[in-house]
């Protein structure tokens, strides 16, 4: 099966006065039609930039300097900008983190949903209107006819995010990119919105790339996960393996850094240190300075992605992954923070 | 509905301002050094004459009473009598109002027609050659006297090229249009530098917003993105800037009318100044202020129409 | 808006502050300095008396030996009138903004700090003054008081304080929530001391930046008044009256009306550059 979207060794640079910032330093991922994958990492890891590159909408000074993006097996990287953007925007949609800024403040929300059917697909006004109302119903907005005429600032956060999802669906995409769509929402609303995304995805067989800093949220909707750090993928695999048997110190630290509200009060576990300076050349593994398991070999060479399993479904960029079982406090069945896929972290039991 | 309430609220807020305007205009004449009666009588000054005139003009009453009389007359549309012409100030104003209104409307129209393409171009091609050229416009335009610009336009387009009349308002609609183009252009170009700077800055700001990315992600054409989304949002803050500067625009008509010998109320005012005709000066000043207040109300209404968030305030 | 840091790139705006030399400020100040120097050194740069008429040599074109920019209808040297006119226009332009600045700043401080009905009253007065078009009110006041530089100072003061009041008030509204203001109040200092020793230095910056554009505006007003015959009384040279005089000869000696205008534009350019440079250095507008 041809992957819906495939990224091969993508490099993105941002020229700045004080140096060239290598925001993406060789990222590869694939999404099959109808598949939901997650991309996890902290701020600055490059996850949002990756999404923008997949839309062909990198912000001004940033440029793709290497690698390729394939849509349905066709390389779009070499194409003239206009054509590339058209192909990508036809097939791919994006849902942003901040629904308030993602919506035009002076335009009624219904009109924003109806805009593509009307302008791009050439529907008549009434047809576009009903299409928009229809979409609003599908994303679970009550009383859509009345809400059609509302302005973004008149709606609640959860409602707005549903509008954004409806807008994303209005182009009839095959792949949805979600950039932390629930981060700005309350936990209860979060669950509702996630449910909407998941239901629609399954109904329409959409691909989904879900970007978040929260591995648990990702685990609720995605079957595979890529973990990014400092502009590259440091581990990837299916969600169950990642949660139970992660083989990269960063992933493991991410898992452990979420506090367990049911556990007795401990000191919060944080990852000490800062993400690295991406304008500088990297000597060795970029996580090494912060890694509790780093050894001398880790500072020599940036580790390549190596398979943990024969079939390459689990890869990691850690040189010491094989010895992970012997690292202190690594996952044991009796360890706290042992998580099942789809289980919110707050329910993690030992 | 919210919009109507907003308009009503704004109208109510106007009332104290209108009172203040009348007070200021009233005081304007009171600061003139010398006795107005003496001025009026000119060379026929006698003590009895002065006293009689004082009584006739109500100058022997206390100041606040004079103001109330003034206000009373005002509310009846009476702006006083011209010293020089044998007619009421109000009728003179009405006679000369038309060219001024033509001028203001043409000026505002030209200002918008010139500003929008320049600002949109500059913002879309940021740091390009066109953008950098356009950015110098506010620098040069800030210090450019409107009347000098008018004279230059007359020199180039009227005297040298013979394309437009150098002065006057002409007879008949067609001639009006021909005559108003250069003055309107002058007025507009006085405002364009500020507007271009403001609209360009807003556009650049807006083009970096997330909702523009959303619009692009929808696959809409560049034109639709700019005109359907970006411009409307950018225009909002520019309408405010326009509103703030519209008073300046209206005031500049006085000078522009002089340059082009356009017989509008500004011209009327200047002639009155040279004839020491105080009532006309006072009356025209008042009319100008009321004009500004009305135009500001109009821009506020436009602002609220463009930006639904304002209607809550 | 998140700036790009070396650690990573956030997708939100990537605005970078250039740590280069402030070109507008340097260019503007240089130009301004040149203009001011030219005005001050007028006697050194030209030996012609600006008001002395020389009908024999009237209407000389620029480049005539001895008259770099020609002479006007009354035989007066244009360059000399330009330079001496600069003295008048620049001096009045700079001085005239002082009293609006002071009055506006003080009223803005009071209005912003005390709030309440005092603020409301002052703001209403502002609304009333602002309702009058700039030129109209200036002309009316100058007319009422009689033409001359004294009237110009009064007129500019009456009309000009408003902008400073608004700007300073806006700054005060923000500043009074800052910690240093709260600390000053908590320590029980007398109000006037808080206002002038603590608040003022922090809020006055934007007013100073604005004053640069205000000087341009004032010079424009003065020149316009001169054009209308309401400014500096003749025969003292003034750019505005020079343009007015020159307008009659537009077809034949077009330079008579053009040159003074160019002088005004260049002066305005210098001040605009300085204002831009200050904004670049200190932010906002």
């Amino acid at each position: 099966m041809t992957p819906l979207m495939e990224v091969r060794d993508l490099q993105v640079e941002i020229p700045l006065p004080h140096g060239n910032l290598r925001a993406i330093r060789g990222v590869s991922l694939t999404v099959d039609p109808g598949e939901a994958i997650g991309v996890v990492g902290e701020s600055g890891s490059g996850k949002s930039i990756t999404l923008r590159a997949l839309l062909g909408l990198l912000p001004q000074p940033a440029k793709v300097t290497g690698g390729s993006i394939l849509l349905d097996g066709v390389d779009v990287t070499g194409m003239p900008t206009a054509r590339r953007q058209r192909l990508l925007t036809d097939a791919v949609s994006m849902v942003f983190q901040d629904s308030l800024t993602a919506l035009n403040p002076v335009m009624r929300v219904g009109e924003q949903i109806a805009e593509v059917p009307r302008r791009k697909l050439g529907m008549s006004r009434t047809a576009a209107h009903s299409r928009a109302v229809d979409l609003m119903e599908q994303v679970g907005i009550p009383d859509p006819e009345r809400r059609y005429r509302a302005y973004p600032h008149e709606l609640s956060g959860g409602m707005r995010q549903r509008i954004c999802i409806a807008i994303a669906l209005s182009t009839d995409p095959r792949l949805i990119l979600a950039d932390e769509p629930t981060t700005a929402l309350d936990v209860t609303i979060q669950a509702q919105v996630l449910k909407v995304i998941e239901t629609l995805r399954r109904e329409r067989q959409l691909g989904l790339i879900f970007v978040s800093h929260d591995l648990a949220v990702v685990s609720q909707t995605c079957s595979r996960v890529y973990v990014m750090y400092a502009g590259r993928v440091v581990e990837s695999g299916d969600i169950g393996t990642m949660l139970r048997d992660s083989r990269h110190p960063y992933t493991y630290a991410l898992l452990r850094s979420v506090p367990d509200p049911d556990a007795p009060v401990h000191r919060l576990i944080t990852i000490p240190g800062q993400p690295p300076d991406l304008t500088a050349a990297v000597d060795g593994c970029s996580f090494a300075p912060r890694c509790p398991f780093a050894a001398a070999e880790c500072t020599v060479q940036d580790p390549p992605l190596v398979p943990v399993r024969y079939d390459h479904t689990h890869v990691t960029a850690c040189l010491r992954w094989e010895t992970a079982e012997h690292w202190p406090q690594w996952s044991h069945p009796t360890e706290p923070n042992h998580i099942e896929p789809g289980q919110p972290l707050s329910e993690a039991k030992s | 509905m919210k919009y109507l309430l907003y308009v009503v609220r704004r109208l109510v807020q106007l009332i104290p301002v209108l009172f203040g305007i009348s007070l200021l205009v009233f005081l304007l004449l009171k600061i003139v050094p010398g006795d107005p009666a003496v001025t009026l009588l000119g060379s026929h000054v006698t003590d009895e004459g002065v006293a009689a005139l004082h009584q006739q003009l109500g100058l022997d009453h206390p100041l606040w009473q004079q103001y109330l009389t003034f206000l009373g007359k005002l509310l009846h549309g009476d702006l006083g009598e011209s010293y020089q012409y044998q007619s009421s100030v109000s009728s003179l104003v009405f006679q000369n109002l038309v060219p001024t209104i033509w001028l203001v409307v043409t000026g505002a129209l030209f200002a918008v027609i010139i500003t929008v393409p320049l600002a949109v171009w500059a913002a879309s091609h940021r740091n390009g050659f066109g953008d950098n050229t356009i950015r110098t416009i506010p620098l040069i335009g800030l210090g450019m006297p409107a009347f000098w610009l008018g004279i230059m336009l007359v020199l180039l387009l009227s005297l040298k090229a013979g394309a437009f009349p150098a002065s006057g308002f002409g007879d008949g609609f067609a001639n009006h249009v021909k005559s108003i183009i250069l003055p309107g252009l002058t007025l507009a170009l006085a405002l364009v530098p500020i507007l271009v700077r403001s609209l360009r800055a807003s556009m650049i700001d807006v083009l970096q917003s997330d909702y523009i990315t959303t619009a692009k992600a929808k696959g809409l054409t560049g034109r639709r993105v700019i005109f359907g989304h970006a411009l409307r949002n950018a225009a909002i803050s520019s309408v405010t800037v326009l509103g703030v500067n519209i008073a300046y625009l209206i005031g500049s008509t006085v000078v522009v009318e002089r340059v082009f010998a356009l017989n509008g109320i500004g011209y009327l005012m200047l002639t009155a100044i040279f004839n020491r005709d105080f009532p006309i000066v006072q009356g025209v000043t008042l009319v100008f202020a009321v004009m500004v207040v009305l135009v500001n109300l109009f821009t506020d209404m436009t602002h609220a129409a463009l930006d639904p968030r304002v209607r809550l305030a | 808006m998140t700036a790009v840091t070396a650690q990573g790139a956030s997708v939100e705006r990537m605005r970078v502050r250039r740590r280069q030399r402030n070109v507008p400020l340097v260019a503007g100040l240089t130009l301004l300095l040149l203009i001011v120097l030219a005005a001050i050194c007028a006697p050194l740069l030209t030996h012609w008396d600006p008001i002395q008429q020389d009908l024999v040599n009237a209407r000389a074109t620029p480049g005539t030996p001895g008259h770099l920019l020609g002479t006007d209808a009354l035989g007066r040297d244009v360059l000399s009138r330009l330079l001496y006119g600069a003295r008048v226009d620049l001096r009045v332009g700079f001085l005239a903004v002082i009293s609006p600045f002071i009055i506006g700043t003080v009223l803005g401080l009071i209005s912003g700090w005390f709030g309440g009905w005092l603020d409301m009253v002052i703001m209403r007065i502002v609304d009333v003054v602002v309702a009058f078009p700039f030129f109209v009110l200036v002309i009316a006041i100058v007319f009422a008081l009689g033409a001359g530089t004294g009237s110009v100072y009064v007129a500019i003061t009456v009309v000009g304080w408003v902008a400073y009041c608004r700007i300073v008030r806006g700054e005060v509204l923000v500043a009074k929530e800052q910690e240093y203001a709260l600390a000053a109040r908590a320590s029980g200092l007398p109000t006037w001391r808080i206002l002038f020793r603590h608040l003022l230095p922090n809020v006055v910056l934007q007013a100073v930046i604005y004053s640069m554009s205000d000087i341009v505006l004032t010079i424009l007003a003065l020149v316009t008044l001169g054009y209308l015959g309401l400014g500096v009384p003749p025969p003292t040279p003034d750019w505005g009256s020079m343009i007015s005089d020159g307008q009659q000869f537009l077809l034949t000696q077009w330079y008579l009306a053009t040159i003074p205008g160019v002088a005004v534009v260049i002066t305005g350019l210098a001040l605009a550059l300085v204002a831009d440079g200050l904004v670049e250095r200190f932010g906002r507008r």
Side-chain angles (χ1 to χ4, degrees):
Chain A
M1 169 164 53
T2 332
L4 174 56
M5 177 156 277
E6 192 179 343
V7 178
R8 290 185 192 159
D9 200 31
L10 186 67
Q11 324 253 356
V12 171
E13 276 177 24
I14 305 171
L16 294 175
H18 53 79
N20 227 6
L21 193 144
R22 301 187 60 213
I24 312 268
R25 302 184 293 122
V27 163
S28 303
L29 51 86
T30 48
V31 188
D32 287 327
E35 191 188 14
I37 65 159
V39 176
V40 176
E42 51 191 342
S43 311
S45 56
K47 50 194 204 302
S48 296
I49 299 244
T50 312
L51 287 189
R52 298 281 287 251
L54 294 184
L55 263 180
L57 288 178
L58 282 172
Q60 253 295 342
K63 280 190 316 268
V64 172
T65 51
S68 47
I69 301 174
L70 291 93
L71 180 67
D72 293 325
V74 177
D75 190 342
V76 297
T77 352
M79 290 180 182
T81 319
R83 181 142 178 258
R84 181 178 70 238
Q85 277 186 0
R86 204 164 43 80
L87 282 175
L88 287 172
T89 53
D90 276 350
V92 182
S93 275
M94 186 146 150
V95 178
F96 289 84
Q97 173 178 344
D98 187 348
S99 58
L100 189 56
T101 57
L103 293 169
N104 189 337
V106 303
M107 203 169 154
R108 301 187 199 270
V109 294
E111 283 168 13
Q112 298 192 44
I113 304 176
E115 193 177 13
V116 167
R118 182 146 165 67
R119 303 280 165 184
K120 230 176 97 177
L121 305 177
M123 288 186 180
S124 73
R125 251 178 137 215
T126 18
H129 181 108
S130 8
R131 180 92 200 279
V133 171
D134 200 38
L135 282 168
M136 286 169 80
E137 255 167 30
Q138 287 179 41
V139 296
I141 295 178
D143 200 359
E145 276 291 354
R146 200 171 58 97
R147 292 257 155 68
Y148 186 96
R149 296 180 51 77
Y151 287 100
H153 64 278
E154 295 172 341
L155 299 173
S156 70
M159 209 61 87
R160 274 199 304 265
Q161 197 58 289
R162 292 172 201 251
I163 298 279
C164 288
I165 297 172
I167 291 178
L169 293 173
S170 70
T171 56
D172 243 343
R174 287 176 290 129
L175 174 65
I176 296 208
L177 309 177
D179 190 354
E180 311 235 28
T182 54
T183 309
L185 302 171
D186 291 335
V187 179
T188 32
I189 313 288
Q190 233 181 55
Q192 288 175 13
V193 172
L194 283 176
K195 192 144 167 286
V196 168
I197 295 178
E198 184 49 24
T199 322
L200 287 166
R201 194 189 68 74
R202 263 199 267 261
E203 276 174 18
R204 294 159 175 247
Q205 278 295 296
L206 299 172
L208 172 69
I209 301 183
F210 195 109
V211 162
S212 180
H213 59 274
D214 189 345
L215 201 45
V217 167
V218 163
S219 72
Q220 291 175 43
T221 44
C222 305
S223 50
R224 282 190 301 121
V225 151
Y226 292 81
V227 178
M228 279 185 73
Y229 184 77
R232 53 170 300 208
V233 174
V234 294
E235 189 175 10
S236 76
D238 62 78
I239 193 69
T241 322
M242 296 292 281
L243 293 174
R244 270 192 310 262
D245 191 24
S246 130
R247 293 296 177 137
H248 194 286
Y250 179 63
T251 316
Y252 181 62
L254 275 182
L255 285 168
R256 293 213 59 207
S257 64
V258 179
D260 177 3
D262 295 325
V265 175
H266 290 300
R267 267 183 45 211
L268 283 181
I269 298 170
T270 55
I271 310 176
Q274 295 262 4
D277 179 355
L278 292 179
T279 55
V282 178
D283 255 344
C285 173
S286 37
F287 188 61
R290 307 166 72 183
C291 180
F293 312 121
E297 50 178 342
C298 299
T299 55
V300 172
Q301 169 212 37
D302 198 13
L305 281 171
V306 295
V308 174
R309 285 211 203 114
Y310 276 121
D311 58 3
H312 287 251
T313 53
H314 182 186
V315 296
T316 176
C318 179
L319 296 172
R320 309 192 64 209
W321 68 268
E322 279 161 310
T323 53
E325 280 154 12
H326 307 291
W327 295 351
Q329 298 175 306
W330 203 252
S331 327
H332 290 309
T334 54
E335 267 290 305
N337 293 336
H338 174 73
I339 308 158
E340 291 296 330
Q343 187 185 36
L345 274 173
S346 57
E347 291 175 27
K349 294 281 186 280
S350 45
Chain B
M1 191 51 202
K2 279 199 196 120
Y3 184 62
L4 280 170
L5 282 174
Y6 178 77
V7 173
V8 169
R9 245 181 301 133
R10 288 290 291 114
L11 279 170
V12 168
Q13 284 171 353
L14 278 184
I15 296 176
V17 176
L18 289 172
F19 273 115
I21 289 176
S22 64
L23 185 60
L24 188 57
V25 169
F26 172 74
L27 289 174
L28 199 58
L29 228 49
K30 291 298 159 194
I31 63 172
V32 176
D35 190 334
V38 172
T39 320
L40 263 176
L41 290 174
S43 45
H44 308 288
V45 171
T46 61
D47 280 340
E48 303 87 22
V50 167
L53 208 47
H54 272 188
Q55 219 184 17
Q56 188 188 4
L57 294 174
L59 293 173
D60 46 347
H61 293 300
L63 207 60
W64 62 266
Q65 211 174 345
Q66 289 183 42
Y67 171 62
L68 286 176
T69 328
F70 175 76
L71 195 58
K73 285 195 194 156
L74 211 57
L75 290 170
H76 283 97
D78 179 7
L79 288 169
E81 290 269 323
S82 154
Y83 287 170
Q84 195 194 22
Y85 308 106
Q86 297 303 314
S87 62
S88 72
V89 173
S90 342
S91 57
L92 283 169
V93 165
F94 268 115
Q95 282 169 23
N96 289 13
L97 201 54
V98 171
T100 305
I101 294 185
W102 271 73
L103 184 56
V104 172
V105 169
T106 318
L109 220 62
F110 276 149
V112 171
I113 292 175
I114 298 175
T115 308
V116 171
L118 283 179
V120 168
W121 176 268
S124 322
H125 300 81
R126 224 183 139 189
N127 290 323
F129 177 70
D131 181 30
N132 285 325
T133 320
I134 291 175
R135 282 168 82 179
T136 58
I137 294 178
L139 290 175
I140 300 176
L142 185 66
M144 188 175 290
F147 68 90
W148 181 78
L149 180 62
I151 294 175
M152 292 298 110
L153 283 176
V154 167
L155 179 64
L156 293 170
L157 294 174
S158 185
L159 296 179
K160 298 277 183 178
F164 301 102
S167 62
F169 194 43
D171 289 312
F173 189 81
N175 279 323
H176 286 341
V177 171
K178 265 181 86 179
S179 311
I180 207 75
I181 288 187
L182 281 186
L185 194 58
T186 309
L187 210 60
L189 289 175
L191 208 52
V192 159
I194 303 177
L195 288 181
V196 164
R197 161 184 276 165
S198 155
L199 189 60
R200 174 188 169 275
S202 315
M203 278 291 279
I204 288 178
D205 220 35
V206 161
L207 285 174
Q208 291 175 331
S209 316
D210 280 343
Y211 58 85
I212 294 297
T213 314
T214 310
K216 287 187 191 168
K218 287 186 193 175
L220 300 168
T221 62
R223 257 173 96 220
R224 169 82 194 152
V225 170
I226 290 192
F227 291 102
H229 290 266
L231 195 57
R232 186 161 166 202
N233 279 281
I236 290 173
S237 59
S238 291
V239 164
T240 315
V241 172
L242 180 64
V244 166
N245 286 287
I246 206 98
Y248 196 75
L249 179 94
I250 291 179
S252 302
T253 61
V254 174
V255 186
V256 172
E257 283 179 13
R258 158 86 157 81
V259 172
F260 291 92
L262 221 54
N263 53 325
I265 57 178
Y267 199 66
L268 179 68
M269 183 180 180
L270 286 173
T271 326
I273 284 180
F274 284 110
N275 293 323
R276 313 290 295 166
D277 198 342
F278 293 85
I280 293 186
V281 176
Q282 187 183 43
V284 173
T285 308
L286 184 74
V287 169
F288 267 122
V290 171
M291 211 189 275
V292 168
V293 166
L294 289 176
V295 171
N296 268 325
L297 178 68
F298 179 67
T299 33
D300 274 350
M301 281 168 58
T302 314
H303 186 213
L306 283 177
D307 187 355
R309 294 169 287 184
V310 168
R311 303 175 206 166
L312 295 172
Chain C
M1 273 196 286
T2 322
V4 177
T5 57
Q7 274 94 9
S10 298
V11 162
E12 297 98 341
R13 276 143 252 191
M14 298 197 221
R15 244 247 234 109
V16 179
R17 271 270 129 95
R18 295 194 184 280
R19 293 225 157 269
Q20 293 166 355
R21 262 217 322 247
N22 195 331
V23 171
L25 193 55
V26 171
L29 283 174
T30 315
L31 190 54
L32 196 58
L33 198 61
L34 284 173
I35 296 172
V36 170
L37 273 178
I40 295 178
C41 301
L44 296 175
L45 292 167
T46 170
H47 63 278
W48 296 108
D49 183 345
I51 61 178
Q52 186 179 42
Q53 301 179 14
D54 182 7
L55 293 167
V56 174
N57 286 316
R59 317 245 195 114
T61 52
T64 325
H67 295 286
L68 191 59
L69 294 176
T71 61
D72 67 359
L74 295 174
R76 300 175 290 198
D77 179 52
V78 171
L79 178 61
S80 156
R81 281 181 72 82
L82 198 68
L83 290 173
Y84 280 91
R87 287 183 159 193
V88 177
D89 289 325
L90 287 176
R91 189 187 74 230
V92 177
F94 276 87
L95 290 180
V97 302
I98 294 181
S99 38
F101 183 99
I102 295 177
I103 295 179
T105 305
V106 169
L107 284 178
L109 267 177
I110 295 175
S111 187
W113 181 261
F114 292 108
W117 67 267
L118 191 57
D119 181 34
M120 228 183 57
V121 166
I122 293 182
M123 280 298 111
R124 287 287 145 261
I125 299 179
V126 166
D127 284 342
V128 169
V129 174
V130 156
F132 290 87
F134 179 73
F135 281 125
V136 169
L137 199 51
V138 166
I139 290 173
I141 294 177
V142 169
F143 164 65
L145 295 174
T149 41
S151 318
V152 173
Y153 285 120
V154 172
I156 297 287
T157 306
V158 169
V159 177
W161 67 271
V162 170
Y164 294 100
C165 183
R166 272 186 172 165
I167 291 175
V168 170
R169 176 179 173 274
E171 294 291 304
V172 168
L173 287 179
V174 169
K176 74 176 181 181
E177 307 301 330
Q178 302 293 318
E179 288 183 355
Y180 65 88
L182 296 170
R185 284 168 77 186
S187 61
L189 291 172
T191 311
W192 67 268
R193 196 173 163 79
I194 302 179
L195 285 180
F196 290 99
R197 272 290 274 119
H198 293 268
L199 273 187
L200 183 61
N202 286 291
V203 303
V204 87
L205 179 62
Q206 289 299 317
V208 171
I209 294 180
Y210 176 74
S211 66
M212 291 295 122
S213 340
D214 200 26
I215 294 177
V216 180
L217 207 59
T218 309
I219 293 180
L220 272 182
L222 188 60
V223 167
T224 308
L225 285 171
Y227 173 75
L228 296 171
L230 289 168
V232 184
T236 317
D238 152 64
W239 290 339
S241 49
M242 285 172 76
I243 298 178
S244 168
D245 291 338
Q247 194 181 1
Q248 320 162 37
F249 305 104
L250 213 47
L251 269 175
T252 45
Q253 284 100 33
W254 57 269
Y255 46 88
L256 288 177
T258 313
I259 292 178
V262 173
V264 178
V265 172
I266 295 180
T267 311
L269 177 65
L271 286 161
L273 282 172
V274 172
D276 262 7
L278 288 176
V279 168
E280 207 171 289
R281 174 76 177 79
F282 295 107
R284 264 174 305 166
R285 172 164 288 278

